[in-house]
Each structure stands twice: as C-alpha cells, then as structure tokens.
C-alpha cells in the first residue's frame, strides 16, 4: 500500500483544503482518513502540508493527432466520417503528453478536428503509463461533430456541401436519420440470428459507428456561436442524444437555453486571440457569468490551440475574471469527469476510484504553480527533482 501523509486535501467529495491522509492500493484509492498509520511494508509519501488534488482532466483536445507531424486530425475527403477513430492516428510519444503531465493533467480526451460535420470518435487516455495499452482507457468513447465556420468553410471553398450553416445542419440530420434506420435493421438482424434465422443484413462501418449515438454514446458537437449552439441543442433533442456542447463560446448569451437543455458544456479555449469571426464575442468572464447563473460547465484548452503548458494559466486568468477557486477545481476534476461520463471512475479522491493524484509543490492556479508528484493509477509518473 502507498500512503500520502500530511496533505492539504481537495477531494472533490466533501473535503476542501483540510488535513487528510490518502491510502492507495492496487491502483485505486483505498482510504481517505484524518490519520492513516502505515504498515512496515507500506510506501509513504510525506506531502508536507502541500495541496493534494485529483489528477486534472482535459475533456477535449487533439494531443498527438493534430500536434504530431502527420497532422492527422481531419479527413477532408467528405464531411460525414463517423467511422474514423482518433486512436488510429495518435502519436503516443508526442512530447505534449509530457507537458500535460507536468501540469498535473492525468486524463485526456483526444479527438479529431472540426473540419468535418462528423469527424470520428474520441479516445480517452492517461497521460503516462508503463505501456501504451495501459494508457488507453477507452478506444472509442464519444462521437465528434462540428457546426459553424469550420465545416462550411472547408467544403464551401471547394464548391461542395456544406457551404452554409443550413447545409451543415441538414447533412447532420440526414446522417442521424440514416443511422437510426440502420440501427433498426441491425437489431432485426441480431434477432434473426438469435432465433437461428437467415439474414441478408449489409454491414456499413460509418452507420455502425454512428448508430451508437442512439444507445447513449456521448456526442460532442463543436459550436461557438449562439446560433450553432441552438442548432446543436435542437439536434440533440430531436434525436435524444447524450450531448456535449464543445467550446460554447457564446453560451453566456443564452443562459436559459443552456439550463433547459441540461447538456454538458465545455468552455474554451478562452485565453488568447480571436482567430475567426465566430469567436469575436469570446469573453474571459464567460465562465464567471455561467457560474453565477448556476450553469454547470467544465473547461478546455483545446490543445493545440492553447498548448498544454497553458492549462494552469488559463484557469488562473479565468479566476482573475471572476471564476471562483472552488468552481475552478471542480471544472478540471469532477465536472470534467462527468462531462466524459467517467465520474464513477475519476475526478475525485474517494475509495474505489482510480488513484490519479497530484501533490502540488505550489498551488496550481497561482504564479509558478506546478506539481511535485503525480500518480496515475497509483504509480508515480512524475516527480520534481528537488
């Protein structure tokens, strides 16, 4: 057993900056108590009063797929490609995984870019581990989709559909209706096989991937502007999707709509320039506005847009613009886990959950904040030299 002693714990499970010990066994949190007496064979880490938090979570990024030399984030041969898988392109040796670890980020959701209306599936990964396979949590965890400028500009300039927002929404709906009909045929095929009957079912890789949206697979839709967010919410309601709005840049303009829809909302990247028209109304105080209104959300760097080195500094800037400290910690831990449907496994330090734990040399959202020790699945994966 490994025991972290004398830590100032933020557990995300009812403990906020209180002195607690944490015991780790077989890659899981075993105990969280005021005083844990280690056994003679236990490994002890003295946190020396420093902050101890869950590992931070990046709920959407492109590490090792757009950052890598191959620039493999977008298959620009057609706007509808739900059959693609980010896991098939990720360069696990990309140095930005190390930068993530050095920012206390232990889990990342890596997906395709937003050039297509349907771009493939996200993979959920740990940022370090003994083997590459050990780092893979879920090879296919969520479907990536996009509205707004990216797909319509990408294809409109080629004289192809979509060239408008209307075209993008229509193609998205058309694909969902096709997948819904395909799923009905698939279920009928399965029933025939179960009953020993013959079937003439024809397999379609793209529709087989997309039909999982009707079984609750998370659908992550890139949408910056309010009109694109509303379209995404309408589509989510029409098809009963487990929906996440990615970026949600103008979400601060439409609080009541966000509350009514009850989707996941991932805000960012916020810090940095306004690189295109649809982010002209990006605001540093948008998270604070949502917090005050009672809308639950999390945060993203969208790395490579903000490099992983900027994970902590983005949160610090948002706090300077009104985001409270406690909500900031929730956004990068338990809320991020919820946004990925992983809250039963990650995001807090409580018995039974993965032992992804960070001991901070200095508080993360203050100048110079950095980890001292990072554990992933109970194993030390990063440690400062001093």
């Amino acid at each position: 057993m490994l025991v972290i002693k004398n830590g100032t714990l933020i557990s995300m499970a009812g403990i906020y900056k209180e002195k607690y010990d944490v015991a780790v066994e077989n890659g899981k949190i075993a105990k969280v108590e005021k005083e844990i007496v280690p056994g003679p064979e236990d490994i002890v880490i003295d946190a020396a009063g420093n902050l101890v938090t869950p590992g931070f979570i990046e709920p959407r990024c492109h590490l090792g797929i757009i950052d890598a030399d191959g620039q493999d984030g977008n298959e620009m041969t057609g706007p509808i490609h739900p059959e693609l898988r980010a896991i098939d392109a990720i360069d696990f040796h990309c140095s930005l995984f190390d930068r993530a670890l050095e920012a206390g980020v232990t889990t990342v959701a890596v997906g395709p870019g937003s050039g297509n209306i349907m771009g493939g599936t996200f993979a959920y990964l740990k940022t370090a581990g003994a083997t590459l396979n050990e780092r893979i949590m879920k090879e296919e965890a969520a479907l990536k989709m996009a509205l707004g400028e990216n797909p319509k500009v990408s294809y409109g300039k080629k004289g192809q559909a979509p060239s408008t927002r209307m075209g993008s929404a229509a193609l998205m709906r058309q694909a969902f209706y096709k997948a819904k009909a395909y799923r009905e045929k698939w279920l009928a095929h399965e029933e025939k096989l179960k009953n020993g009957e013959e079937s003439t079912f024809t397999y379609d890789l793209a529709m087989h991937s997309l039909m999982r949206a009707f079984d609750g697979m998370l659908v992550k839709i890139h949408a910056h502007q309010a009109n694109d967010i509303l379209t995404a919410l309408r589509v989510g309601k029409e098809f009963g999707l487990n929906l996440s709005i990615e970026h949600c840049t103008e979400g601060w303009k439409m609080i009541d709509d966000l509350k009514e829809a009850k989707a996941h909302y991932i805000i960012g990247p916020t810090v940095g320039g306004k690189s295109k028209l649809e982010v002209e109304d990006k605001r540093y105080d948008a998270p604070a506005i949502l917090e005050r209104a009672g809308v639950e959300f999390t945060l993203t760097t969208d790395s490579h847009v903000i490099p992983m080195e900027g994970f902590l500094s983005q949160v610090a800037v948002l706090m300077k613009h009104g985001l409270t400290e406690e909500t900031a910690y929730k956004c990068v831990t338990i809320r991020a886990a919820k946004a990925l449907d992983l809250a039963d496994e990650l995001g807090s330090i409580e018995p039974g959950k993965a032992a992804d734990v960070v001991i901070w040399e200095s508080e993360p959202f203050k100048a110079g904040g950095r980890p001292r020790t990072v554990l992933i699945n109970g194993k030390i994966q990063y440690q400062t030299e001093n």
Side-chain angles (χ1 to χ4, degrees):
M1 192 162 65
L2 182 150
V3 181
I4 300 170
K5 296 283 295 177
N6 306 314
T8 302
L9 182 62
I10 297 178
S11 71
M12 291 296 108
I15 300 168
Y16 194 80
K17 290 190 174 181
E18 297 178 52
K19 290 292 193 298
Y20 271 84
D21 296 344
V22 178
V24 173
E25 193 167 24
N26 298 322
K28 304 285 187 181
I29 304 297
K31 291 187 286 186
V32 179
E33 298 176 1
K34 281 286 188 181
E35 180 73 24
I36 297 174
V37 179
E41 297 183 359
D42 291 339
I43 298 169
V44 177
I45 299 176
D46 185 2
N50 289 337
L51 198 63
V52 176
T53 71
F56 289 173
I57 300 168
E58 169 55 82
R60 61 156 292 122
C61 65
H62 310 292
L63 289 192
I65 183 169
I66 290 181
D67 309 277
D69 290 340
Q71 296 295 304
D72 285 326
N74 292 288
E75 176 62 46
M76 300 306 297
T77 53
I80 305 294
H81 278 299
E83 74 277 13
L84 304 178
R85 303 176 184 182
I87 194 70
D88 292 328
I90 295 167
D91 175 7
F92 283 82
H93 298 291
C94 174
S95 63
L96 290 182
F97 286 106
D98 295 331
R99 303 293 84 77
L101 193 64
E102 292 163 11
V105 177
T106 55
T107 301
V108 290
V110 178
S114 301
N116 289 329
I117 295 166
M118 295 185 177
T121 55
F122 273 79
Y124 294 170
L125 312 173
K126 296 298 178 77
T127 51
T131 66
L132 299 185
N133 280 331
E134 181 182 293
R135 290 172 56 185
I136 300 171
M137 295 183 66
K138 293 186 178 182
E139 290 190 5
E140 290 191 277
L143 289 151
K144 169 62 188 291
M145 302 182 189
L147 294 168
E149 283 187 45
N150 288 20
K152 81 183 189 77
V153 170
S154 296
Y155 290 95
K157 67 184 179 183
K158 300 177 184 179
Q160 297 176 233
S163 63
T164 64
R165 282 179 161 82
M166 294 182 294
S168 293
L171 287 174
M172 182 178 285
R173 286 188 175 95
Q174 184 179 57
F176 273 124
Y177 277 117
K178 187 177 178 182
K180 189 174 183 180
Y182 175 90
R183 180 175 178 272
E184 290 172 0
K185 292 177 182 177
W186 165 257
L187 293 175
H189 161 75
E190 291 283 277
E191 187 65 23
K192 284 183 178 180
L193 294 183
K194 181 180 175 181
N195 295 330
E197 302 173 22
E198 290 187 10
S199 173
T200 58
F201 178 80
T202 301
Y203 185 85
D204 182 316
L205 181 61
M207 291 301 102
H208 211 82
S209 179
L210 183 55
M211 77 171 187
R212 293 176 292 179
F214 298 103
D215 297 315
M217 190 178 207
L218 184 63
V219 175
K220 296 164 78 67
I221 301 183
H222 161 119
H224 284 283
Q225 284 188 184
N227 53 351
D228 296 320
I229 296 168
L230 283 172
T231 297
L233 293 177
R234 279 194 297 271
V235 170
K237 186 175 181 179
E238 286 172 33
F239 294 100
L241 304 179
N242 177 14
L243 182 64
S244 175
I245 304 296
E246 316 278 288
H247 304 305
C248 204
T249 302
E250 292 188 359
W252 61 271
K253 295 181 178 181
M254 43 192 302
I255 298 297
D256 290 342
D257 298 290
L258 301 189
K259 283 184 173 181
E260 181 181 353
K262 295 182 174 64
H264 300 295
Y265 305 112
I266 300 178
I267 311 299
T270 305
V271 176
K274 297 179 178 181
S275 58
K276 52 187 176 179
L277 288 173
E278 65 186 10
V279 297
E280 279 297 304
D281 285 342
K282 178 172 68 173
R283 294 173 56 147
Y284 286 0
D285 64 347
I289 293 170
L290 296 184
E291 179 186 0
R292 290 194 295 270
V295 176
E296 186 165 310
F297 61 93
T298 184
L299 303 170
T300 180
T301 62
D302 199 26
S303 182
H304 66 293
V305 178
I306 295 176
M308 290 308 299
E309 296 94 320
F311 186 95
L312 302 179
S313 59
Q314 174 177 238
V315 179
V317 170
L318 299 179
M319 287 173 60
K320 287 289 186 182
H321 287 81
L323 182 66
T324 66
E325 180 185 77
E326 191 165 354
T327 295
Y329 279 111
K330 288 178 182 177
C331 284
V332 298
T333 56
I334 191 61
R335 286 189 180 178
K338 288 180 182 178
L340 299 178
D341 293 336
L342 291 176
D344 290 340
E345 304 173 46
L346 301 174
S348 61
I349 297 176
E350 51 187 323
K353 288 196 174 183
D356 294 354
V357 180
V358 184
I359 302 170
W360 294 90
E361 185 174 284
S362 51
E363 291 201 26
F365 307 137
K366 295 182 179 178
R370 66 170 186 166
R372 193 188 87 185
T373 305
V374 180
L375 282 72
I376 296 179
N377 294 329
K379 298 176 183 177
I380 296 174
Q381 298 293 349
Y382 174 81
Q383 201 157 23
T384 54
E385 295 179 3
N386 54 0

